Amino acid sequence: MSKPFAKPNLEIMEWPQQINGTPILYDAPLEILLEHIKGHSAKTGPAFVALAAHSSEQSLAALVSAAKGKDADFRRAAVEAIACHSLGITQAKLICDLFQDSDEIVVRAACRAASNLKLSESHSQILALLNSKNPKTREVALEALNNLWLDSDFEQVFKVHTTDRNSNVRKQAAWTLQKNIAQKNWSKLFEIWHKDETSRHRVWACELAAQFGSESTLPILEKLSNDRDGHVRKAAKKAIGILSA
């Protein structure tokens, strides 16, 4: 009977116990897992996760091989697994190379992997994806920037937030901006968010004023304290209290 290869390190993150009802066999022998990632079956996805959970060079080598293979679904699953592998950071070049993959699902997986591993060398490639014709790719790139944000990203992400034709992309751009606000750009967001139809953005405007504002923002906050949305009213009154103290 084959022995399991390296014992999986299940303390690094919360690993799932199953995928679509199929158990993930973390202690399965290496050769069994390698068989499972050769063909499409219910056991394929769980096998990639099991390989990711192990810290051995053997498991990483299997994932690298799959990431270079002909099957796009396997390349995607492999790069996702590499991002969770304890030795995944050693494959930075491979992950960055996959930004040029012919299949968008692989490109998005590479983008997420680069973000998860905080590969600073991937920053320009992620930023370039904001010009992708595929809205799902633009959305993933915006989310990925949260881990690799540079102050110089603000204007481009702001433009996406205000002009992109896809509502989900605009929404993700807003979340990314909100998580990376700085003193030098808060007022630009406050100006558009305090009068935005989305109540969440009006709440954020109040929070921005509380953090960065001055007495000059009080008139707008007074107006927001009578907003139709209760969360906005509460945030506005809190901001007024902070600025009036």
PDB file of all heavy atoms in Angstrom, residues 82-120:
ATOM      1  N   ILE A  82      -1.748  26.598  -6.481  1.00  0.00           N
ATOM      2  CA  ILE A  82      -0.388  27.105  -6.244  1.00  0.00           C
ATOM      3  C   ILE A  82      -0.443  28.309  -5.300  1.00  0.00           C
ATOM      4  O   ILE A  82       0.415  28.475  -4.422  1.00  0.00           O
ATOM      5  CB  ILE A  82       0.294  27.481  -7.568  1.00  0.00           C
ATOM      6  CG1 ILE A  82       0.631  26.213  -8.361  1.00  0.00           C
ATOM      7  CG2 ILE A  82       1.563  28.292  -7.325  1.00  0.00           C
ATOM      8  CD1 ILE A  82       1.100  26.467  -9.783  1.00  0.00           C
ATOM      9  N   ALA A  83      -1.447  29.149  -5.459  1.00  0.00           N
ATOM     10  CA  ALA A  83      -1.579  30.339  -4.612  1.00  0.00           C
ATOM     11  C   ALA A  83      -1.788  29.981  -3.149  1.00  0.00           C
ATOM     12  O   ALA A  83      -1.484  30.785  -2.263  1.00  0.00           O
ATOM     13  CB  ALA A  83      -2.733  31.201  -5.104  1.00  0.00           C
ATOM     14  N   CYS A  84      -2.311  28.787  -2.896  1.00  0.00           N
ATOM     15  CA  CYS A  84      -2.564  28.343  -1.514  1.00  0.00           C
ATOM     16  C   CYS A  84      -1.467  27.428  -0.982  1.00  0.00           C
ATOM     17  O   CYS A  84      -1.474  27.078   0.201  1.00  0.00           O
ATOM     18  CB  CYS A  84      -3.901  27.607  -1.447  1.00  0.00           C
ATOM     19  SG  CYS A  84      -5.328  28.629  -1.869  1.00  0.00           S
ATOM     20  N   HIS A  85      -0.560  27.029  -1.846  1.00  0.00           N
ATOM     21  CA  HIS A  85       0.517  26.118  -1.450  1.00  0.00           C
ATOM     22  C   HIS A  85       1.559  26.886  -0.644  1.00  0.00           C
ATOM     23  O   HIS A  85       1.850  28.046  -0.935  1.00  0.00           O
ATOM     24  CB  HIS A  85       1.156  25.515  -2.703  1.00  0.00           C
ATOM     25  CG  HIS A  85       1.999  24.309  -2.449  1.00  0.00           C
ATOM     26  ND1 HIS A  85       3.253  24.386  -1.887  1.00  0.00           N
ATOM     27  CD2 HIS A  85       1.772  22.988  -2.688  1.00  0.00           C
ATOM     28  CE1 HIS A  85       3.763  23.173  -1.800  1.00  0.00           C
ATOM     29  NE2 HIS A  85       2.883  22.304  -2.276  1.00  0.00           N
ATOM     30  N   SER A  86       2.126  26.250   0.363  1.00  0.00           N
ATOM     31  CA  SER A  86       3.108  26.938   1.209  1.00  0.00           C
ATOM     32  C   SER A  86       4.369  27.339   0.442  1.00  0.00           C
ATOM     33  O   SER A  86       5.100  28.226   0.869  1.00  0.00           O
ATOM     34  CB  SER A  86       3.493  26.044   2.394  1.00  0.00           C
ATOM     35  OG  SER A  86       4.116  24.854   1.940  1.00  0.00           O
ATOM     36  N   LEU A  87       4.614  26.693  -0.703  1.00  0.00           N
ATOM     37  CA  LEU A  87       5.765  27.037  -1.539  1.00  0.00           C
ATOM     38  C   LEU A  87       5.349  27.816  -2.785  1.00  0.00           C
ATOM     39  O   LEU A  87       6.139  28.014  -3.697  1.00  0.00           O
ATOM     40  CB  LEU A  87       6.514  25.759  -1.951  1.00  0.00           C
ATOM     41  CG  LEU A  87       7.074  24.888  -0.817  1.00  0.00           C
ATOM     42  CD1 LEU A  87       7.691  23.617  -1.372  1.00  0.00           C
ATOM     43  CD2 LEU A  87       8.087  25.667   0.007  1.00  0.00           C
ATOM     44  N   GLY A  88       4.109  28.269  -2.803  1.00  0.00           N
ATOM     45  CA  GLY A  88       3.571  28.922  -3.989  1.00  0.00           C
ATOM     46  C   GLY A  88       4.318  30.176  -4.398  1.00  0.00           C
ATOM     47  O   GLY A  88       4.428  30.484  -5.586  1.00  0.00           O
ATOM     48  N   ILE A  89       4.881  30.882  -3.441  1.00  0.00           N
ATOM     49  CA  ILE A  89       5.593  32.117  -3.739  1.00  0.00           C
ATOM     50  C   ILE A  89       6.792  31.881  -4.655  1.00  0.00           C
ATOM     51  O   ILE A  89       7.235  32.789  -5.354  1.00  0.00           O
ATOM     52  CB  ILE A  89       6.059  32.795  -2.426  1.00  0.00           C
ATOM     53  CG1 ILE A  89       6.543  34.225  -2.687  1.00  0.00           C
ATOM     54  CG2 ILE A  89       7.122  31.971  -1.742  1.00  0.00           C
ATOM     55  CD1 ILE A  89       5.483  35.170  -3.111  1.00  0.00           C
ATOM     56  N   THR A  90       7.290  30.647  -4.690  1.00  0.00           N
ATOM     57  CA  THR A  90       8.433  30.331  -5.547  1.00  0.00           C
ATOM     58  C   THR A  90       8.035  30.303  -7.025  1.00  0.00           C
ATOM     59  O   THR A  90       8.916  30.242  -7.891  1.00  0.00           O
ATOM     60  CB  THR A  90       9.046  28.972  -5.177  1.00  0.00           C
ATOM     61  OG1 THR A  90       8.099  27.916  -5.443  1.00  0.00           O
ATOM     62  CG2 THR A  90       9.441  28.927  -3.705  1.00  0.00           C
ATOM     63  N   GLN A  91       6.741  30.329  -7.287  1.00  0.00           N
ATOM     64  CA  GLN A  91       6.258  30.251  -8.666  1.00  0.00           C
ATOM     65  C   GLN A  91       5.727  31.602  -9.157  1.00  0.00           C
ATOM     66  O   GLN A  91       4.820  31.665  -9.983  1.00  0.00           O
ATOM     67  CB  GLN A  91       5.169  29.176  -8.775  1.00  0.00           C
ATOM     68  CG  GLN A  91       5.654  27.785  -8.437  1.00  0.00           C
ATOM     69  CD  GLN A  91       6.830  27.359  -9.317  1.00  0.00           C
ATOM     70  OE1 GLN A  91       6.789  27.538 -10.528  1.00  0.00           O
ATOM     71  NE2 GLN A  91       7.865  26.814  -8.697  1.00  0.00           N
ATOM     72  N   ALA A  92       6.323  32.667  -8.668  1.00  0.00           N
ATOM     73  CA  ALA A  92       5.882  34.007  -9.058  1.00  0.00           C
ATOM     74  C   ALA A  92       5.948  34.212 -10.575  1.00  0.00           C
ATOM     75  O   ALA A  92       5.027  34.763 -11.185  1.00  0.00           O
ATOM     76  CB  ALA A  92       6.721  35.062  -8.345  1.00  0.00           C
ATOM     77  N   LYS A  93       7.026  33.767 -11.192  1.00  0.00           N
ATOM     78  CA  LYS A  93       7.186  33.961 -12.641  1.00  0.00           C
ATOM     79  C   LYS A  93       6.099  33.214 -13.404  1.00  0.00           C
ATOM     80  O   LYS A  93       5.524  33.751 -14.366  1.00  0.00           O
ATOM     81  CB  LYS A  93       8.559  33.496 -13.104  1.00  0.00           C
ATOM     82  CG  LYS A  93       8.802  33.766 -14.595  1.00  0.00           C
ATOM     83  CD  LYS A  93      10.166  33.295 -15.041  1.00  0.00           C
ATOM     84  CE  LYS A  93      10.422  33.666 -16.502  1.00  0.00           C
ATOM     85  NZ  LYS A  93       9.384  33.122 -17.409  1.00  0.00           N
ATOM     86  N   LEU A  94       5.822  31.985 -13.000  1.00  0.00           N
ATOM     87  CA  LEU A  94       4.790  31.200 -13.668  1.00  0.00           C
ATOM     88  C   LEU A  94       3.446  31.906 -13.576  1.00  0.00           C
ATOM     89  O   LEU A  94       2.715  32.020 -14.571  1.00  0.00           O
ATOM     90  CB  LEU A  94       4.694  29.810 -13.034  1.00  0.00           C
ATOM     91  CG  LEU A  94       3.498  28.955 -13.472  1.00  0.00           C
ATOM     92  CD1 LEU A  94       3.579  28.630 -14.953  1.00  0.00           C
ATOM     93  CD2 LEU A  94       3.436  27.667 -12.648  1.00  0.00           C
ATOM     94  N   ILE A  95       3.117  32.399 -12.400  1.00  0.00           N
ATOM     95  CA  ILE A  95       1.841  33.078 -12.206  1.00  0.00           C
ATOM     96  C   ILE A  95       1.765  34.329 -13.082  1.00  0.00           C
ATOM     97  O   ILE A  95       0.751  34.582 -13.749  1.00  0.00           O
ATOM     98  CB  ILE A  95       1.642  33.434 -10.723  1.00  0.00           C
ATOM     99  CG1 ILE A  95       1.462  32.146  -9.907  1.00  0.00           C
ATOM    100  CG2 ILE A  95       0.431  34.352 -10.531  1.00  0.00           C
ATOM    101  CD1 ILE A  95       1.499  32.349  -8.409  1.00  0.00           C
ATOM    102  N   CYS A  96       2.832  35.095 -13.104  1.00  0.00           N
ATOM    103  CA  CYS A  96       2.846  36.305 -13.945  1.00  0.00           C
ATOM    104  C   CYS A  96       2.762  35.953 -15.428  1.00  0.00           C
ATOM    105  O   CYS A  96       2.119  36.668 -16.208  1.00  0.00           O
ATOM    106  CB  CYS A  96       4.097  37.121 -13.658  1.00  0.00           C
ATOM    107  SG  CYS A  96       4.087  37.926 -12.030  1.00  0.00           S
ATOM    108  N   ASP A  97       3.387  34.865 -15.829  1.00  0.00           N
ATOM    109  CA  ASP A  97       3.316  34.432 -17.229  1.00  0.00           C
ATOM    110  C   ASP A  97       1.885  34.081 -17.630  1.00  0.00           C
ATOM    111  O   ASP A  97       1.483  34.293 -18.789  1.00  0.00           O
ATOM    112  CB  ASP A  97       4.221  33.220 -17.457  1.00  0.00           C
ATOM    113  CG  ASP A  97       5.700  33.567 -17.466  1.00  0.00           C
ATOM    114  OD1 ASP A  97       6.016  34.774 -17.562  1.00  0.00           O
ATOM    115  OD2 ASP A  97       6.536  32.638 -17.366  1.00  0.00           O
ATOM    116  N   LEU A  98       1.108  33.568 -16.676  1.00  0.00           N
ATOM    117  CA  LEU A  98      -0.254  33.150 -16.980  1.00  0.00           C
ATOM    118  C   LEU A  98      -1.200  34.328 -17.205  1.00  0.00           C
ATOM    119  O   LEU A  98      -2.340  34.134 -17.626  1.00  0.00           O
ATOM    120  CB  LEU A  98      -0.787  32.236 -15.868  1.00  0.00           C
ATOM    121  CG  LEU A  98      -0.172  30.827 -15.848  1.00  0.00           C
ATOM    122  CD1 LEU A  98      -0.628  30.058 -14.623  1.00  0.00           C
ATOM    123  CD2 LEU A  98      -0.546  30.060 -17.117  1.00  0.00           C
ATOM    124  N   PHE A  99      -0.732  35.539 -16.950  1.00  0.00           N
ATOM    125  CA  PHE A  99      -1.534  36.710 -17.304  1.00  0.00           C
ATOM    126  C   PHE A  99      -1.694  36.806 -18.817  1.00  0.00           C
ATOM    127  O   PHE A  99      -2.589  37.495 -19.307  1.00  0.00           O
ATOM    128  CB  PHE A  99      -0.869  37.988 -16.781  1.00  0.00           C
ATOM    129  CG  PHE A  99      -1.212  38.316 -15.354  1.00  0.00           C
ATOM    130  CD1 PHE A  99      -0.533  37.721 -14.305  1.00  0.00           C
ATOM    131  CD2 PHE A  99      -2.209  39.221 -15.062  1.00  0.00           C
ATOM    132  CE1 PHE A  99      -0.832  38.031 -12.990  1.00  0.00           C
ATOM    133  CE2 PHE A  99      -2.534  39.539 -13.754  1.00  0.00           C
ATOM    134  CZ  PHE A  99      -1.838  38.941 -12.710  1.00  0.00           C
ATOM    135  N   GLN A 100      -0.816  36.132 -19.540  1.00  0.00           N
ATOM    136  CA  GLN A 100      -0.869  36.141 -21.006  1.00  0.00           C
ATOM    137  C   GLN A 100      -1.595  34.924 -21.557  1.00  0.00           C
ATOM    138  O   GLN A 100      -1.573  34.671 -22.761  1.00  0.00           O
ATOM    139  CB  GLN A 100       0.554  36.195 -21.575  1.00  0.00           C
ATOM    140  CG  GLN A 100       1.404  37.332 -21.043  1.00  0.00           C
ATOM    141  CD  GLN A 100       0.775  38.689 -21.256  1.00  0.00           C
ATOM    142  OE1 GLN A 100       0.211  38.963 -22.315  1.00  0.00           O
ATOM    143  NE2 GLN A 100       0.846  39.547 -20.240  1.00  0.00           N
ATOM    144  N   ASP A 101      -2.234  34.150 -20.690  1.00  0.00           N
ATOM    145  CA  ASP A 101      -2.921  32.936 -21.130  1.00  0.00           C
ATOM    146  C   ASP A 101      -4.020  33.275 -22.141  1.00  0.00           C
ATOM    147  O   ASP A 101      -4.602  34.361 -22.111  1.00  0.00           O
ATOM    148  CB  ASP A 101      -3.529  32.215 -19.920  1.00  0.00           C
ATOM    149  CG  ASP A 101      -3.880  30.772 -20.226  1.00  0.00           C
ATOM    150  OD1 ASP A 101      -5.001  30.535 -20.730  1.00  0.00           O
ATOM    151  OD2 ASP A 101      -3.049  29.886 -19.986  1.00  0.00           O
ATOM    152  N   SER A 102      -4.300  32.322 -23.010  1.00  0.00           N
ATOM    153  CA  SER A 102      -5.311  32.526 -24.053  1.00  0.00           C
ATOM    154  C   SER A 102      -6.735  32.448 -23.520  1.00  0.00           C
ATOM    155  O   SER A 102      -7.674  32.852 -24.199  1.00  0.00           O
ATOM    156  CB  SER A 102      -5.129  31.484 -25.163  1.00  0.00           C
ATOM    157  OG  SER A 102      -5.256  30.171 -24.630  1.00  0.00           O
ATOM    158  N   ASP A 103      -6.902  31.930 -22.302  1.00  0.00           N
ATOM    159  CA  ASP A 103      -8.237  31.750 -21.735  1.00  0.00           C
ATOM    160  C   ASP A 103      -8.442  32.714 -20.563  1.00  0.00           C
ATOM    161  O   ASP A 103      -7.623  32.778 -19.642  1.00  0.00           O
ATOM    162  CB  ASP A 103      -8.420  30.311 -21.250  1.00  0.00           C
ATOM    163  CG  ASP A 103      -9.881  29.959 -21.038  1.00  0.00           C
ATOM    164  OD1 ASP A 103     -10.531  30.625 -20.202  1.00  0.00           O
ATOM    165  OD2 ASP A 103     -10.378  29.031 -21.692  1.00  0.00           O
ATOM    166  N   GLU A 104      -9.548  33.438 -20.587  1.00  0.00           N
ATOM    167  CA  GLU A 104      -9.824  34.453 -19.571  1.00  0.00           C
ATOM    168  C   GLU A 104      -9.951  33.851 -18.165  1.00  0.00           C
ATOM    169  O   GLU A 104      -9.610  34.512 -17.179  1.00  0.00           O
ATOM    170  CB  GLU A 104     -11.106  35.209 -19.914  1.00  0.00           C
ATOM    171  CG  GLU A 104     -10.982  36.158 -21.076  1.00  0.00           C
ATOM    172  CD  GLU A 104     -10.355  37.487 -20.683  1.00  0.00           C
ATOM    173  OE1 GLU A 104     -10.334  37.830 -19.490  1.00  0.00           O
ATOM    174  OE2 GLU A 104      -9.884  38.195 -21.598  1.00  0.00           O
ATOM    175  N   ILE A 105     -10.452  32.629 -18.057  1.00  0.00           N
ATOM    176  CA  ILE A 105     -10.610  32.054 -16.716  1.00  0.00           C
ATOM    177  C   ILE A 105      -9.251  31.811 -16.064  1.00  0.00           C
ATOM    178  O   ILE A 105      -9.106  31.914 -14.849  1.00  0.00           O
ATOM    179  CB  ILE A 105     -11.430  30.735 -16.740  1.00  0.00           C
ATOM    180  CG1 ILE A 105     -10.700  29.621 -17.496  1.00  0.00           C
ATOM    181  CG2 ILE A 105     -12.816  30.951 -17.282  1.00  0.00           C
ATOM    182  CD1 ILE A 105     -11.326  28.249 -17.281  1.00  0.00           C
ATOM    183  N   VAL A 106      -8.255  31.516 -16.880  1.00  0.00           N
ATOM    184  CA  VAL A 106      -6.902  31.317 -16.369  1.00  0.00           C
ATOM    185  C   VAL A 106      -6.287  32.662 -15.987  1.00  0.00           C
ATOM    186  O   VAL A 106      -5.622  32.792 -14.948  1.00  0.00           O
ATOM    187  CB  VAL A 106      -6.019  30.593 -17.395  1.00  0.00           C
ATOM    188  CG1 VAL A 106      -4.610  30.379 -16.834  1.00  0.00           C
ATOM    189  CG2 VAL A 106      -6.632  29.257 -17.789  1.00  0.00           C
ATOM    190  N   VAL A 107      -6.522  33.666 -16.800  1.00  0.00           N
ATOM    191  CA  VAL A 107      -6.006  35.011 -16.516  1.00  0.00           C
ATOM    192  C   VAL A 107      -6.570  35.508 -15.191  1.00  0.00           C
ATOM    193  O   VAL A 107      -5.836  36.047 -14.341  1.00  0.00           O
ATOM    194  CB  VAL A 107      -6.366  35.991 -17.649  1.00  0.00           C
ATOM    195  CG1 VAL A 107      -5.975  37.415 -17.262  1.00  0.00           C
ATOM    196  CG2 VAL A 107      -5.674  35.580 -18.940  1.00  0.00           C
ATOM    197  N   ARG A 108      -7.862  35.306 -14.981  1.00  0.00           N
ATOM    198  CA  ARG A 108      -8.475  35.755 -13.731  1.00  0.00           C
ATOM    199  C   ARG A 108      -7.925  34.978 -12.534  1.00  0.00           C
ATOM    200  O   ARG A 108      -7.706  35.542 -11.453  1.00  0.00           O
ATOM    201  CB  ARG A 108      -9.999  35.628 -13.802  1.00  0.00           C
ATOM    202  CG  ARG A 108     -10.633  36.630 -14.758  1.00  0.00           C
ATOM    203  CD  ARG A 108     -12.138  36.722 -14.558  1.00  0.00           C
ATOM    204  NE  ARG A 108     -12.848  35.547 -15.030  1.00  0.00           N
ATOM    205  CZ  ARG A 108     -13.296  35.396 -16.272  1.00  0.00           C
ATOM    206  NH1 ARG A 108     -13.083  36.345 -17.184  1.00  0.00           N
ATOM    207  NH2 ARG A 108     -13.954  34.310 -16.628  1.00  0.00           N
ATOM    208  N   ALA A 109      -7.695  33.688 -12.727  1.00  0.00           N
ATOM    209  CA  ALA A 109      -7.115  32.872 -11.653  1.00  0.00           C
ATOM    210  C   ALA A 109      -5.700  33.342 -11.328  1.00  0.00           C
ATOM    211  O   ALA A 109      -5.304  33.409 -10.160  1.00  0.00           O
ATOM    212  CB  ALA A 109      -7.104  31.404 -12.053  1.00  0.00           C
ATOM    213  N   ALA A 110      -4.935  33.678 -12.358  1.00  0.00           N
ATOM    214  CA  ALA A 110      -3.574  34.182 -12.148  1.00  0.00           C
ATOM    215  C   ALA A 110      -3.613  35.518 -11.414  1.00  0.00           C
ATOM    216  O   ALA A 110      -2.774  35.789 -10.541  1.00  0.00           O
ATOM    217  CB  ALA A 110      -2.861  34.334 -13.486  1.00  0.00           C
ATOM    218  N   CYS A 111      -4.583  36.341 -11.756  1.00  0.00           N
ATOM    219  CA  CYS A 111      -4.742  37.640 -11.107  1.00  0.00           C
ATOM    220  C   CYS A 111      -5.025  37.458  -9.620  1.00  0.00           C
ATOM    221  O   CYS A 111      -4.415  38.116  -8.763  1.00  0.00           O
ATOM    222  CB  CYS A 111      -5.876  38.399 -11.786  1.00  0.00           C
ATOM    223  SG  CYS A 111      -6.098  40.088 -11.204  1.00  0.00           S
ATOM    224  N   ARG A 112      -5.947  36.568  -9.294  1.00  0.00           N
ATOM    225  CA  ARG A 112      -6.263  36.294  -7.883  1.00  0.00           C
ATOM    226  C   ARG A 112      -5.058  35.717  -7.156  1.00  0.00           C
ATOM    227  O   ARG A 112      -4.785  36.067  -6.001  1.00  0.00           O
ATOM    228  CB  ARG A 112      -7.445  35.331  -7.790  1.00  0.00           C
ATOM    229  CG  ARG A 112      -8.778  35.877  -8.289  1.00  0.00           C
ATOM    230  CD  ARG A 112      -9.910  34.938  -7.939  1.00  0.00           C
ATOM    231  NE  ARG A 112     -11.174  35.339  -8.537  1.00  0.00           N
ATOM    232  CZ  ARG A 112     -11.666  34.840  -9.668  1.00  0.00           C
ATOM    233  NH1 ARG A 112     -10.988  33.890 -10.320  1.00  0.00           N
ATOM    234  NH2 ARG A 112     -12.821  35.258 -10.146  1.00  0.00           N
ATOM    235  N   ALA A 113      -4.352  34.811  -7.825  1.00  0.00           N
ATOM    236  CA  ALA A 113      -3.181  34.184  -7.211  1.00  0.00           C
ATOM    237  C   ALA A 113      -2.105  35.224  -6.907  1.00  0.00           C
ATOM    238  O   ALA A 113      -1.503  35.230  -5.827  1.00  0.00           O
ATOM    239  CB  ALA A 113      -2.624  33.101  -8.130  1.00  0.00           C
ATOM    240  N   ALA A 114      -1.864  36.113  -7.860  1.00  0.00           N
ATOM    241  CA  ALA A 114      -0.855  37.154  -7.666  1.00  0.00           C
ATOM    242  C   ALA A 114      -1.236  38.064  -6.512  1.00  0.00           C
ATOM    243  O   ALA A 114      -0.382  38.495  -5.727  1.00  0.00           O
ATOM    244  CB  ALA A 114      -0.703  37.969  -8.945  1.00  0.00           C
ATOM    245  N   SER A 115      -2.525  38.344  -6.392  1.00  0.00           N
ATOM    246  CA  SER A 115      -2.992  39.180  -5.293  1.00  0.00           C
ATOM    247  C   SER A 115      -2.847  38.458  -3.955  1.00  0.00           C
ATOM    248  O   SER A 115      -2.363  39.034  -2.978  1.00  0.00           O
ATOM    249  CB  SER A 115      -4.455  39.564  -5.529  1.00  0.00           C
ATOM    250  OG  SER A 115      -4.960  40.312  -4.438  1.00  0.00           O
ATOM    251  N   ASN A 116      -3.255  37.195  -3.924  1.00  0.00           N
ATOM    252  CA  ASN A 116      -3.168  36.413  -2.679  1.00  0.00           C
ATOM    253  C   ASN A 116      -1.738  36.308  -2.178  1.00  0.00           C
ATOM    254  O   ASN A 116      -1.475  36.358  -0.968  1.00  0.00           O
ATOM    255  CB  ASN A 116      -3.741  35.005  -2.895  1.00  0.00           C
ATOM    256  CG  ASN A 116      -5.241  35.012  -3.082  1.00  0.00           C
ATOM    257  OD1 ASN A 116      -5.915  35.987  -2.757  1.00  0.00           O
ATOM    258  ND2 ASN A 116      -5.782  33.938  -3.613  1.00  0.00           N
ATOM    259  N   LEU A 117      -0.811  36.157  -3.116  1.00  0.00           N
ATOM    260  CA  LEU A 117       0.603  36.036  -2.751  1.00  0.00           C
ATOM    261  C   LEU A 117       1.304  37.392  -2.682  1.00  0.00           C
ATOM    262  O   LEU A 117       2.490  37.460  -2.385  1.00  0.00           O
ATOM    263  CB  LEU A 117       1.320  35.141  -3.776  1.00  0.00           C
ATOM    264  CG  LEU A 117       0.885  33.665  -3.772  1.00  0.00           C
ATOM    265  CD1 LEU A 117       1.519  32.924  -4.947  1.00  0.00           C
ATOM    266  CD2 LEU A 117       1.252  32.998  -2.457  1.00  0.00           C
ATOM    267  N   LYS A 118       0.548  38.462  -2.965  1.00  0.00           N
ATOM    268  CA  LYS A 118       1.066  39.828  -2.922  1.00  0.00           C
ATOM    269  C   LYS A 118       2.331  39.991  -3.764  1.00  0.00           C
ATOM    270  O   LYS A 118       3.354  40.494  -3.311  1.00  0.00           O
ATOM    271  CB  LYS A 118       1.313  40.252  -1.476  1.00  0.00           C
ATOM    272  CG  LYS A 118       0.036  40.244  -0.639  1.00  0.00           C
ATOM    273  CD  LYS A 118       0.279  40.725   0.775  1.00  0.00           C
ATOM    274  CE  LYS A 118      -1.035  40.735   1.560  1.00  0.00           C
ATOM    275  NZ  LYS A 118      -0.849  41.193   2.955  1.00  0.00           N
ATOM    276  N   LEU A 119       2.214  39.548  -5.014  1.00  0.00           N
ATOM    277  CA  LEU A 119       3.337  39.632  -5.944  1.00  0.00           C
ATOM    278  C   LEU A 119       3.411  41.041  -6.521  1.00  0.00           C
ATOM    279  O   LEU A 119       2.701  41.380  -7.469  1.00  0.00           O
ATOM    280  CB  LEU A 119       3.179  38.605  -7.069  1.00  0.00           C
ATOM    281  CG  LEU A 119       3.050  37.134  -6.641  1.00  0.00           C
ATOM    282  CD1 LEU A 119       2.914  36.241  -7.879  1.00  0.00           C
ATOM    283  CD2 LEU A 119       4.241  36.704  -5.803  1.00  0.00           C
ATOM    284  N   SER A 120       4.272  41.866  -5.980  1.00  0.00           N
ATOM    285  CA  SER A 120       4.373  43.251  -6.423  1.00  0.00           C
ATOM    286  C   SER A 120       4.761  43.350  -7.899  1.00  0.00           C
ATOM    287  O   SER A 120       4.388  44.306  -8.587  1.00  0.00           O
ATOM    288  CB  SER A 120       5.396  44.007  -5.570  1.00  0.00           C
ATOM    289  OG  SER A 120       6.669  43.390  -5.638  1.00  0.00           O
TER     290      SER A 120
END
